[in-house]
Amino acid sequence: MKARTPWPVLTGLLFVIATQPVSAGISSCSKDGFCYCIHETLADRITQRVAEIRTLIAAQRAQGKAIGYLSIPLSTLGGGYFAVNALVAVETKDHIEQQLGPRDVWILNPGATDFVLPADADGADYMWMWTQVLEGTDGLGAFDFVYFTGPSDFARHFGLDGRADLEKLDTAYDNLVKTKPEMASKVDKRAFRDYYGLRASVSFSVGSHDEWNIVRAINAKRRDGDKVSGIAKQMGVFFDGKPAAPGLFEASIDAGNSRDCNKN
């Protein structure tokens, strides 16, 4: 049986390399039925981290803030580069908070260093942690809204303006390699250009696929729990800076890391 792919430090949720189950793993399933094949040795550490994150969320909510969750691809995968993605995550969190008002809103950025698991954690381990955080203690969600990162968020970082954008990305790559020469061995220039110019968004993220389905399941549970006002109690869902349309809002997509240890 194929071993699971190691999870790079700081690669957060979202945005992970799909993993294969191993016999040493254990299946852990959430309140809303999402299962992951995680490292048994990390189970207690994940539980501890979930408790810490819930305490952080509670502290922000106690200040009267609306609480948001940022879904963003982070991995060096498919032409993306972790250092760039992590920076875009910070910038997007700041952009949303400034747009809505830092006094009134707080965004949880899963790529922040505060949320790192041990180095042997992989995508399934991270998604087991973030699934529990997203669902909350009752499976009805711990957030007021979720923001799914789109092309415009990455375009803002690179200063893309709709004129020769791929050329701008070629230049951005050349400039990055000067300060981060190791990037050249990890990301091809053409792949970098095409990823950030044509694909950079949660649509191409393994972890974000799981997060979309988790949010959809939470909102379905909220709707079903109260036929009169349940629709009004759903979490807000944003993609690329705009509210998701109702039809998309309620649609599921292919799973990312969500699977138990007995399924490939």
Side-chain angles (χ1 to χ4, degrees), residues 46-47 50 54 127-137:
I46 293 172
T47 297
V50 169
R54 285 174 174 167
M127 279 311 307
W128 172 231
M129 178 175 74
W130 291 121
T131 298
Q132 295 177 82
V133 171
L134 279 163
E135 288 184 348
T137 58

Side-chain angles (χ1 to χ4, degrees), residues 1-6 17-28 35-40 122-125 256-264:
M1 187 173 290
K2 186 178 179 181
R4 293 192 293 186
T5 305
I17 301 173
T19 60
Q20 295 293 327
V22 296
S23 58
I26 58 171
S27 294
S28 295
C35 297
Y36 302 92
C37 187
I38 69 168
H39 287 90
E40 186 173 9
D122 64 13
D125 297 312
N257 287 285
S258 180
R259 61 177 62 85
D260 65 36
C261 293
N262 297 317
K263 295 180 180 180
N264 293 322

